Amino acid sequence: MAALLRCASKSQSYTSLCDGTRRFTVAMAAAFSHPVNKRPFDNLIQVRSISSPSVSLGGFSEMALGNKRKYYMIGGKGGVGKTSCAASLAVKFANSGHPTIVISTDPAHSLSDSFSQDLSGGDPVPVEGVDSPLYALEIVPDKLKLKEDLQSSTQGGGSAGIKDLMDSMGLGAMFDQLGDLKFEELMDNPPPGMDEIVAISKVMGLLESPSYSMFSRIVFDTAPTGHTLRLLSLPDFMDSSLGKMMKLQKKLASASAAIKSVLGKQEKQLDTPDQLELLWGCTRKVRDLFHDPDAMEFIIVTIPTVMAVSESARLCRSLRKENVPTRRLLLNQVLPPSSSDCKFCAMKRKEQMNALNLVRNDPELSRLSLIDATLFDAEIRGVPALNFMGNSIWK
């Protein structure tokens, strides 16, 4: 810990940030003169931690143990490096013998940039340069399709179809008393988090198909904190709004069928309740995954600043409140110890130490295993760099 604040000499150049990070540039240059699968980064540098070994436990051997399928969701505040951490973990899993797929559900994707490959086609793309199969995918939730699914769940289209039906049965006044259900608003504006839930559910369905059943590790690069919290709160919305709607439509289903049969307008289409039940099933499926400690783990990524740590503490409390398995906190962009520091570096180390103390004193974050990820002086991009990063932080 004392190494963080040590400044042996201030005569060094301001642009030389630290010895540890400078070695990474040398390693990068050496890497591109070797085949990727020979792992040229191994043993070239040693990245040291700002935390004591007893605190900083990545526990990767435990994460890689067994062939039972397991999901890892990497989340946190925007701009803390979630994508690089998720991609490096996926590379590490693949190089440890696990067929792996890494999936981005963040609307502002950067997974393609991280791997230096185009992953936006909507289908899993194979990633080259790893020991076991590794696929990557960027998902853009089809909000228009989701809206159509919701709208088609009311016969005749939206709330107007329900009103016409009830008017024909002499129950128009009853419909006017059901304004609290807000059918039109629900049809035109799917609830926050619904598109992410449907996307994750579709991915889970895809992975159950024979073509992709081989994957034993699934890594999600999630959207920033706000999206995650909305996704976690969605089941409550489903209970209150869609639940009421399903009950109402079930009561009207038999009457609707009888009237349309008399009028000769019987149509062959999916039962109204079934469409809503499919959406309900998506929510339940994802919620059950979120609550299963044997199948899923949420890893919080943050950086050593007071603002980022404070948001991570709130996220951790929300995850625990929702019973989402959370065991690890990854502290990214940590300045490594150096034999010499400029004034700027010394101030940054002091700032990072304040943030680390905040982590240790927080009643929620202090319960998590802390993983240090060093700040590198070169961009982490492409499989060789991700392999190096993975070997540095996932130990």
Side-chain angles (χ1 to χ4, degrees):
M1 298 299 298
L4 270 174
L5 304 176
R6 188 183 300 122
C7 297
S9 172
K10 295 186 179 180
S11 62
Q12 299 296 324
S13 170
Y14 178 84
T15 58
S16 178
L17 189 62
C18 58
D19 296 339
T21 55
R22 189 168 56 249
R23 295 194 193 101
F24 176 61
T25 304
V26 177
M28 289 290 293
F32 290 103
S33 63
H34 296 77
V36 172
N37 58 7
K38 291 187 178 180
R39 302 185 190 181
F41 289 125
D42 291 354
N43 302 319
L44 285 181
I45 72 170
Q46 179 180 1
V47 180
R48 291 170 289 176
S49 167
I50 70 168
S51 302
S52 63
S54 61
V55 175
S56 183
L57 297 175
F60 180 78
S61 58
E62 176 192 349
M63 297 166 70
L65 185 64
N67 293 321
K68 181 182 177 181
R69 173 171 289 179
K70 189 158 187 179
Y71 296 79
Y72 287 89
M73 305 197 76
I74 313 298
K77 178 179 171 64
V80 298
K82 298 186 299 295
T83 299
S84 295
C85 293
S88 67
L89 178 59
V91 170
K92 180 75 171 182
F93 275 135
N95 284 334
S96 300
H98 282 286
T100 304
I101 184 169
V102 55
I103 301 156
S104 172
T105 60
D106 189 342
H109 296 294
S110 57
L111 197 61
S112 289
D113 298 326
S114 187
F115 279 104
S116 297
Q117 288 185 237
D118 183 7
L119 309 173
S120 61
D123 294 314
V125 177
V127 177
E128 298 180 355
V130 291
D131 293 346
S132 290
L134 172 61
Y135 283 71
L137 170 65
E138 289 179 343
I139 291 182
V140 178
D142 191 346
K143 295 185 178 181
L144 178 61
K145 180 63 166 60
L146 174 59
K147 183 185 294 188
E148 290 174 350
D149 286 345
L150 283 172
Q151 289 174 337
S152 66
S153 67
T154 56
Q155 296 176 4
S159 59
I162 296 178
K163 180 170 176 57
D164 291 342
L165 172 61
M166 296 184 72
D167 283 339
S168 68
M169 299 170 60
L171 299 175
M174 181 183 295
F175 179 86
D176 295 333
Q177 298 175 10
L178 297 173
D180 62 309
L181 293 179
K182 299 181 180 180
F183 288 111
E184 198 68 45
E185 180 181 341
L186 178 62
M187 296 304 102
D188 293 334
N189 299 287
M194 175 66 88
D195 47 1
E196 287 92 348
I197 282 237
V198 173
I200 294 175
S201 177
K202 288 182 178 179
V203 168
M204 293 173 66
L206 173 69
L207 296 176
E208 290 173 359
S209 66
S211 301
Y212 299 104
S213 60
M214 62 180 176
F215 295 118
S216 57
R217 293 295 181 271
I218 295 91
V219 180
F220 281 101
D221 172 29
T222 69
T225 304
H227 285 260
T228 302
L229 295 179
R230 287 199 301 269
L231 187 150
L232 292 174
S233 64
L234 184 58
D236 293 334
F237 177 91
M238 298 291 283
D239 282 331
S240 61
S241 296
L242 290 184
K244 292 178 182 178
M245 187 175 179
M246 289 169 61
K247 290 179 180 179
L248 172 63
Q249 291 183 326
K250 285 180 179 179
K251 292 179 179 179
L252 296 175
S254 59
S256 171
I259 292 175
K260 289 189 175 183
S261 177
V262 171
L263 297 177
K265 297 181 179 180
Q266 189 70 28
E267 299 176 358
K268 293 182 179 180
Q269 53 180 287
L270 188 63
D271 247 356
T272 299
D274 290 344
Q275 293 250 4
L276 292 178
E277 286 170 2
L278 287 175
L279 294 175
W280 174 255
C282 289
T283 305
R284 293 291 298 270
K285 192 173 185 179
V286 174
R287 184 176 61 181
D288 290 346
L289 173 65
F290 280 6
H291 295 168
D292 186 352
D294 294 327
M296 183 270 187
E297 179 181 341
F298 195 104
I299 299 176
I300 300 175
V301 178
T302 190
I303 56 176
T305 67
V306 172
M307 289 181 63
V309 170
S310 297
E311 181 169 320
S312 298
R314 292 191 292 271
L315 172 60
C316 186
R317 287 193 291 271
S318 297
L319 292 171
R320 290 194 183 279
K321 181 180 179 181
E322 298 292 338
N323 296 317
V324 177
T326 310
R327 300 176 54 199
R328 294 172 174 86
L329 174 68
L330 196 156
L331 195 63
N332 197 20
Q333 302 178 14
V334 175
L335 285 173
S338 173
S339 61
S340 62
D341 268 336
C342 62
K343 182 177 180 180
F344 174 82
C345 295
M347 292 299 296
K348 292 299 293 183
R349 292 182 196 284
K350 184 176 180 179
E351 180 183 279
Q352 291 194 353
M353 279 299 302
N354 290 336
L356 180 60
N357 288 332
L358 186 61
V359 170
R360 289 174 171 167
N361 294 327
D362 185 87
E364 295 295 339
L365 296 181
S366 60
R367 298 165 59 184
L368 305 179
S369 294
L370 183 62
I371 307 171
D372 293 341
T374 301
L375 174 66
F376 305 112
D377 65 351
E379 187 177 29
I380 302 296
R381 189 165 183 261
V383 171
L386 291 169
N387 182 54
F388 166 77
M389 181 179 183
N391 287 337
S392 298
I393 65 176
W394 303 108
K395 300 176 182 178

